[in-house]
Amino acid sequence: MSDESRTTPRRSPRSRPHRIVVLALDGVSAMDLGVPVQVFGPESNAATARTRTEVAPPARPTVDGEMAAAVVGEVPSAVPVGERAGAVPAGIWPYAVEICGVTAGTVTGPDGLGYFVARGLEALETADTVVVPGATSAVGHEPPAAVIGALLSAYERGARIAAISTGTFVLARTGLLNGRRATTHWSTAKELVRRFPSIEVDENVLFIDEGQLLTSAGAASAIDLCLHLIRSDHGVGLSNQVARRLVAAAYRSAGQAQYVPRSVPDPLGDDFADTREWALQHIGEKITLRELAANAGVSVRTFSRRFVEDTGYTPMQWVLRARVDLARELLENSDLGIEQIADQVGLGTGANLRMHFQRILSTSPNDYRHSFQG
């Protein structure tokens, strides 16, 4: 599931490629960095460009395998600042991509990877779109003041800024997301809420389009975000061609909630652990609040109050999510039908299972099964 309510309409055709600059900060995620380069890069889209125009696209900087370092040089001139690229003349791929760092040189990534970039923040001065990938430094450290200033300057002159995964934390520190909706990887969503209470954080969507500012969830949803930008700039036809090249879904309707390991919170407190275990053993049966309280040996009122304090959910909300979790496992690992699964997990009917799946995971049981069974 995505939020495209404020998608910028496509502009009239321009004669030069739309210039995308990917900002690599210390600890940059290899996948977050690689996705926009692969999606927008003219070299990786050679076949797609020929399909459209029968002319090979312009060459792009090469990737040097030594030290796993990406070497990125100059790119073609950009579309005038603040203007989106529409259709471009035959033989020209509509995007040009460059990677930059805070300064030119090697950007250190996790797991021993390093990326050599030819330019620093000055590359943002003529960018039409700035992409901020996730990085290990994004959540726990303040970015350099020069990074914040460069992003603000890019925004003020009309550049589009897209943050991937924990890159949202960097964009949040500019203040540009205050009063707006944003998303990030589900594992850091609560930290984003804690640090930036003025941002309306939605952890259930794959990406959010707020016009000039866009944010996405985890690394895989970066593909969804980038395809969305192509759709916004050049229409469904081109985005579908790129999606086929990537062997990716052209549009995913579900959100990232389906990828959270468990709907039931983990870890939980120690209160009523035995009662929760008892409930899991009887999850396919009818379970009432009175039965849970009796198992715990306390009154219904005391049980309800302490259960919420311990888990963050009411007892029956927790039971429902436990039922959904079991249904997820059966969808992933069995060939049982929807009605059979609904009966086994205590939800009674397929209609109930579909309703709760949509409400909790923002997807349907069938779509979930297809996602995890291939």
Side-chain angles (χ1 to χ4, degrees):
M1 184 170 61
S2 60
D3 189 308
E4 306 178 47
S5 60
R6 298 184 62 175
T7 302
T8 304
R10 281 183 282 158
R11 306 291 181 88
S12 58
R14 300 295 170 190
S15 60
R16 290 175 290 178
H18 180 107
R19 188 162 181 266
I20 293 179
V21 177
V22 185
L23 174 58
L25 300 175
D26 282 342
V28 64
S29 161
M31 188 169 181
D32 290 5
L33 180 65
V35 165
V37 174
Q38 286 292 308
V39 173
F40 296 112
E43 185 177 82
S44 54
N45 280 290
T48 303
R50 284 195 291 273
T51 299
R52 299 173 70 225
T53 67
E54 300 303 326
V55 179
R60 65 177 292 273
T62 59
V63 176
D64 181 357
E66 184 178 356
M67 294 173 55
V71 182
V72 183
E74 295 298 321
V75 297
S77 56
V79 176
V81 169
E83 297 185 3
R84 297 284 185 265
V88 294
I92 299 180
W93 175 250
Y95 298 100
V97 184
E98 181 176 16
I99 303 176
C100 78
V102 178
T103 59
T106 299
V107 178
T108 302
D111 302 320
L113 296 174
Y115 307 91
F116 181 81
V117 294
R119 302 185 67 194
L121 291 173
E122 70 277 4
L124 272 61
E125 295 173 2
T126 53
D128 300 301
T129 294
V130 177
V131 180
V132 185
T136 55
S137 63
V139 178
H141 301 86
E142 290 287 334
V147 169
I148 301 301
L151 291 173
L152 288 172
S153 295
Y155 177 82
E156 289 167 2
R157 60 177 175 72
R160 182 170 58 186
I161 304 178
I164 297 172
S165 187
T166 57
T168 299
F169 282 78
V170 179
L171 187 53
R173 287 184 172 95
T174 67
L176 294 173
L177 292 176
N178 291 348
R180 299 176 184 266
R181 294 180 65 236
T183 192
T184 186
H185 192 279
W186 60 265
S187 67
T188 58
K190 287 182 173 57
E191 183 66 12
L192 187 65
V193 171
R194 187 185 71 81
R195 293 193 187 187
F196 304 98
S198 60
I199 299 174
E200 184 182 344
V201 178
D202 187 343
E203 62 182 290
N204 293 318
V205 296
L206 296 175
F207 65 85
I208 291 176
D209 184 339
E210 283 274 335
Q212 201 179 336
L213 301 171
L214 302 95
T215 54
S216 81
S221 64
I223 297 176
D224 299 283
L225 175 61
C226 292
L227 289 175
H228 166 70
L229 292 177
I230 294 177
R231 255 194 325 269
S232 300
D233 292 344
H234 300 286
V236 172
L238 182 57
S239 68
N240 285 350
Q241 289 182 47
V242 175
R244 282 193 292 272
R245 178 184 63 78
L246 297 168
V247 196
Y251 182 84
R252 290 194 292 168
S253 60
Q256 62 172 326
Q258 62 179 311
Y259 300 104
V260 177
R262 300 284 293 182
S263 301
V264 173
D266 183 33
L268 297 172
D270 294 329
D271 286 357
F272 308 130
D274 291 341
T275 297
R276 292 197 301 270
E277 182 61 30
W278 175 87
L280 291 175
Q281 292 173 1
H282 296 81
I283 202 66
E285 306 169 15
K286 181 180 179 180
I287 299 175
T288 67
L289 178 59
R290 189 174 298 278
E291 288 173 329
L292 291 170
N295 181 276
V298 296
S299 69
V300 168
R301 182 174 180 179
T302 297
F303 179 76
S304 297
R305 175 178 56 79
R306 289 174 54 189
F307 197 96
V308 170
E309 292 172 352
D310 205 38
T311 70
Y313 290 100
T314 68
M316 300 317 294
Q317 285 175 336
W318 183 89
V319 169
L320 175 60
R321 286 174 174 265
R323 296 189 197 279
V324 169
D325 276 342
L326 177 56
R328 291 167 69 177
E329 293 180 15
L330 293 173
L331 286 166
E332 293 171 19
N333 303 309
S334 79
D335 295 323
L336 293 175
I338 301 301
E339 294 291 338
Q340 292 173 295
I341 291 175
D343 181 65
Q344 286 201 19
V345 304
L347 288 175
T349 67
N352 274 341
L353 178 62
R354 284 186 283 269
M355 177 182 69
H356 293 304
F357 242 71
Q358 188 63 46
R359 186 172 64 82
I360 294 174
L361 301 178
S362 300
T363 190
S364 70
N366 281 330
D367 285 347
Y368 183 88
R369 169 170 270 166
H370 292 156
S371 296
F372 286 89
Q373 287 192 343

